[in-house]
Amino acid sequence: MKTSLAGLIVLLSISMTAKSQVKIGFEVNFTEPQAHYVEMEMNISGLTKDYVDVKMPVWAPGSYLVREFAKNVEGFSATANDKPVKFEKVRKNAWRIYSAKAKNIKIKYRVYAFEVSVRTSFVDESHAFLSSTGIFIYPDGMLNLPSTVKVNPFKGWEKVSTGLEPVSGKPFTYTASNFDLLFDSPIEVGNQDVFEFTASGVKHEVAMYGGGNYDKEKLQVDMAKVVEQGTAIYGENPNKHYTFIVHNRSVGGGGLEHLNSTVLGASRDKYADPKGYKDFLNLVAHEYYHLWNVKRLRPVALGPFDYDNENYTTNLWVAEGFTSYYENKLTHRAGFFTVDETAQALATAIANVVNTPGAKVQSAAEASYDAWIKAYRPNENSNNATISYYSKGEVVGMLMDIEIAHATKGAKSLDDVMKSMYHEYYKKLGRGYTDAEFKAMVEKISGISFTDFWARYVNGTDAIEYKKYFGYAGISVVDENEGKIIPYLGVASKKVEGDIIVSAVSRNSAAWDGGLNVNDQIVTVDGVPVEVAIEKMPVVTSKNVGDVITVTIRRDGLVRDIKLTLKANPNVKLITTVNENPSEGEKAVRNRWLLGKKG
């Protein structure tokens, strides 16, 4: 037994020593950016095997869909000691290079980059955005090895923005301590507008591509406020530096979090609009809050990452949904929204869930697990069969937050849960948490059982008791549609080349029961030609619930009549009113919930 153990230790030691001698470096070039290509060179030295497998991830952490990044790779070649060597594709994202224990291997390949999003790479004559999981490859079994990256900007490009650590004395050269860090560090190359601010003791760089009517001085102040509110919850900011890469386009949106950086999509002309500006700050708050929630405090399934396959978890309602919820708290505490505005925004978020038929079909936990096959692949029936873990998680977070504040008479809130989880599982144990462990922490902080809450709102699809929860904080909620009997077809439509085409049908609506289909062309309603959205036609709005209308459609080139019996509109429209004279108990809950303080 002792001999076997000693032998194992020796083998492990030899293996670790061999890996430590492996050196990996990348060089990034752009010879045809106008054609949307990146030229990659990878140099590996110190290998001792007869062959090495190199792989490209199939997905990007934070975006739960297998995107098959290797589909954009072409022109793959390999040399060993400067001589061409045999290689072959051994799986969809892996190449085997027969190096015959050569000391030095050089791999070259090109990546086509022409997909505009925060999670995919895009290159043109004006700039390059490199989303690292779709750009860099790694030697199989060596994710823990460090690497260097040298970026050679195209002629006329002068700047590189990234969260990677720069190598002193070597321009545009960076280092990553392992491939997880490299894959978590996007790179912007070009002539982006760069400005900085310091908040919570951390230098923040903002790299703006695409122009826009933003006010740099205002952004420096307001983005710093968001940073400081997030840091206040956790008691520390774990970064030495942080990078915002912002892509300003005619219409933009979305973001993707990284360990010490983020990529944001924004509309270049909306900064001067009060609503557009606040929407941008909400996006900043969402992605920055991920610095703690997901990038460090994470579900156990989300790390170490398996870059070859899906990484399933039932806890995206915490990872993403709570982050959506906390963007409201951070921007409220930073002074950008009043109590009334924040309460109304949260009520609207609840209404969006209530008005989604799929919320009665799919739970928050199920939505999380099925993200890989449903969330990023919606179809015409998704609204009827699924719910977003973002939107349902936001609502669950709010309910849980108020429930904790109410149970502790304003002494604790969800802030205390998140901070305790961060210190217990990220800092102390160095691992992710399970659903049961998260629930246990909620119960520890609140002092009450959350078994029924979990059954109803996390694993179940029960109706949301929004009046009760808002009431704990002295906020009343009314449904403006309550008591109104409004005729409703339950159909959405779009105009295509002058024709009105059905784009969605709501479950259990008149259109659903009567058999209207997506892609049906609506020709007439009770003989009246259709030129606008069918729900807005006077021939529909002037009717009563129970009336029958005749809808003439064209389906697959054939004309037919469909009889529809109008039903009442089931959707809610929630309006909040904040009590200016709350009871002491309501005031305590409200202050702990929204402001994070007692009294």
Side-chain angles (χ1 to χ4, degrees):
M1 187 71 171
K2 289 181 179 180
T3 302
S4 298
L5 182 59
L8 179 60
I9 292 173
V10 169
L11 287 173
L12 288 173
S13 177
I14 292 172
S15 176
M16 292 174 66
T17 300
K19 285 187 178 181
S20 68
Q21 293 174 345
V22 175
K23 305 297 181 184
I24 301 171
F26 293 93
E27 191 165 328
V28 184
N29 291 284
F30 307 93
T31 59
E32 294 184 302
Q34 83 289 347
H36 321 298
Y37 278 96
V38 187
E39 280 73 35
M40 297 296 300
E41 181 179 302
M42 180 185 192
N43 290 281
I44 311 175
S45 64
L47 293 174
T48 57
K49 292 177 62 177
D50 289 330
Y51 69 87
V52 61
D53 290 343
V54 293
K55 293 181 174 181
M56 176 170 279
V58 303
W59 68 289
S63 182
Y64 307 101
L65 176 68
V66 171
R67 297 182 183 276
E68 311 291 20
F69 294 122
K71 67 185 178 184
N72 296 317
V73 174
E74 59 183 79
F76 192 96
S77 66
T79 60
N81 296 333
D82 296 324
K83 295 181 180 180
V85 293
K86 177 186 174 183
F87 68 88
E88 62 180 331
K89 198 83 173 283
V90 291
R91 59 171 284 158
K92 63 182 181 180
N93 65 322
W95 297 259
R96 177 164 294 172
I97 300 166
Y98 294 93
S99 54
K101 299 179 182 179
K103 291 182 179 180
N104 299 292
I105 300 173
K106 180 179 292 185
I107 302 165
K108 291 185 177 182
Y109 58 98
R110 309 179 81 201
V111 180
Y112 181 71
F114 194 58
E115 182 176 351
V116 176
S117 82
V118 296
R119 64 193 69 86
T120 50
S121 299
F122 181 90
V123 178
D124 66 10
E125 71 284 351
S126 67
H127 82 127
F129 169 64
L130 308 181
S131 184
S132 297
T133 46
I135 296 294
F136 296 97
I137 57 179
Y138 68 95
D140 190 25
M142 302 182 197
L143 284 169
N144 63 322
L145 293 185
S147 61
T148 59
V149 177
K150 180 182 180 182
V151 180
N152 296 315
F154 186 63
K155 182 179 179 181
W157 296 354
E158 298 179 351
K159 298 177 184 178
V160 174
S161 298
T162 180
L164 289 169
E165 293 292 332
V167 176
S168 179
K170 295 184 178 181
F172 304 142
T173 303
Y174 307 88
T175 182
S177 57
N178 55 59
F179 276 90
D180 285 324
L181 182 59
L182 178 59
F183 291 147
D184 209 17
S185 301
I187 303 171
E188 177 73 20
V189 191
N191 293 310
Q192 56 272 23
D193 183 18
V194 177
F195 61 90
E196 298 177 351
F197 66 89
T198 298
S200 299
V202 177
K203 186 181 81 171
H204 293 72
E205 176 183 308
V206 183
M208 290 282 197
Y209 165 78
N213 58 359
Y214 53 87
D215 181 333
K216 284 190 278 190
E217 292 184 357
K218 184 174 176 61
L219 282 173
Q220 286 170 321
V221 173
D222 291 343
M223 292 173 74
K225 291 179 181 178
V226 171
V227 169
E228 287 160 0
Q229 290 301 326
T231 304
I233 292 173
Y234 290 90
E236 67 174 29
N237 193 306
N239 286 323
K240 293 190 297 182
H241 55 84
Y242 191 92
T243 302
F244 292 93
I245 297 173
V246 185
H247 292 153
N248 295 303
R249 301 187 180 275
S250 57
V251 178
L256 187 63
E257 70 278 1
H258 298 280
L259 193 69
N260 69 339
S261 64
T262 186
V263 185
L264 308 178
S267 299
R268 65 170 62 95
D269 296 324
K270 291 294 181 69
Y271 291 97
D273 172 65
K275 182 181 182 303
Y277 184 68
K278 288 183 179 181
D279 286 345
F280 177 73
L281 292 177
N282 267 336
L283 179 60
V284 169
H286 181 105
E287 300 306 333
Y288 200 83
Y289 187 76
H290 271 313
L291 185 158
W292 297 276
N293 189 28
V294 172
K295 297 317 301 180
R296 289 166 177 84
L297 171 63
R298 57 176 174 76
V300 70
L302 297 183
F305 292 119
D306 176 355
Y307 292 105
D308 288 338
N309 302 288
E310 297 88 342
N311 292 222
Y312 293 102
T313 175
T314 58
N315 288 113
L316 292 180
W317 58 273
V318 175
E320 292 291 352
F322 278 23
T323 304
S324 291
Y325 170 60
Y326 266 91
E327 73 183 62
N328 297 288
K329 295 183 72 168
L330 266 56
T331 50
H332 170 68
R333 292 175 183 179
F336 305 126
F337 294 92
T338 65
V339 172
D340 298 81
E341 290 172 328
T342 301
Q344 184 56 57
L346 292 170
T348 300
I350 291 173
N352 289 338
V353 171
V354 172
N355 294 339
T356 301
K360 299 179 179 66
V361 177
Q362 187 183 51
S363 72
E366 290 170 333
S368 300
Y369 198 85
D370 283 344
W372 298 92
I373 58 173
K374 293 185 178 182
Y376 288 92
R377 290 176 174 147
N379 61 26
E380 66 282 349
N381 196 49
S382 292
N383 204 51
N384 293 317
T386 66
I387 187 65
S388 165
Y389 50 80
Y390 283 91
S391 55
K392 183 62 179 290
E394 179 179 10
V395 171
V396 172
M398 189 202 81
L399 302 184
M400 188 180 293
D401 201 0
I402 297 177
E403 185 74 275
I404 295 169
H406 175 68
T408 61
K409 295 180 171 55
K412 301 287 184 180
S413 73
L414 188 59
D415 293 2
D416 299 284
V417 173
M418 301 304 286
K419 181 178 181 179
S420 296
M421 290 292 294
Y422 172 80
H423 283 276
E424 179 69 17
Y425 290 96
Y426 168 65
K427 298 202 71 178
K428 180 181 175 182
L429 299 178
R431 66 169 176 84
Y433 60 84
T434 66
D435 185 72
E437 288 167 338
F438 193 90
K439 176 175 177 286
M441 185 64 78
V442 173
E443 293 177 332
K444 178 181 178 181
I445 298 295
S446 67
I448 63 174
S449 171
F450 266 77
T451 297
D452 183 62
F453 185 98
W454 239 256
R456 298 183 64 194
Y457 296 126
V458 175
N459 299 318
T461 59
D462 284 17
I464 299 166
E465 295 182 287
Y466 50 84
K467 290 186 178 181
K468 181 183 82 170
Y469 285 98
F470 273 112
Y472 287 156
I475 300 172
S476 62
V477 187
V478 296
D479 173 13
E480 283 199 338
N481 289 342
E482 189 173 2
K484 296 179 181 178
I485 304 177
I486 305 170
Y488 174 73
L489 277 173
V491 61
S493 59
K494 59 184 177 182
K495 202 165 190 175
V496 180
E497 297 181 352
D499 297 327
I500 302 300
I501 307 297
V502 175
S503 56
V505 176
S506 293
R507 185 184 295 273
N508 298 328
S509 65
W512 174 281
D513 291 347
L516 269 184
N517 289 354
V518 169
N519 297 328
D520 284 347
Q521 177 192 341
I522 309 297
V523 181
T524 64
V525 178
D526 279 351
V528 179
V530 178
E531 297 178 351
V532 297
I534 185 172
E535 291 279 14
K536 297 180 180 179
M537 292 181 64
V539 71
V540 174
T541 57
S542 64
K543 298 285 187 179
N544 296 313
V545 172
D547 288 350
V548 177
I549 62 173
T550 301
V551 179
T552 301
I553 66 166
R554 181 175 285 108
R555 182 185 296 168
D556 191 29
L558 303 177
V559 176
R560 58 180 291 189
D561 291 338
I562 293 180
K563 302 287 186 181
L564 302 180
T565 302
L566 293 176
K567 290 187 171 185
N569 189 343
N571 294 331
V572 301
K573 184 179 180 181
L574 304 183
I575 304 298
T576 59
T577 302
V578 178
N579 185 351
E580 298 299 329
N581 297 296
S583 67
E584 287 301 314
E586 292 168 345
K587 182 180 178 182
V589 169
R590 188 190 302 175
N591 285 342
R592 174 58 70 178
W593 164 40
L594 290 179
L595 299 178
K597 65 181 184 180
K598 293 183 179 180

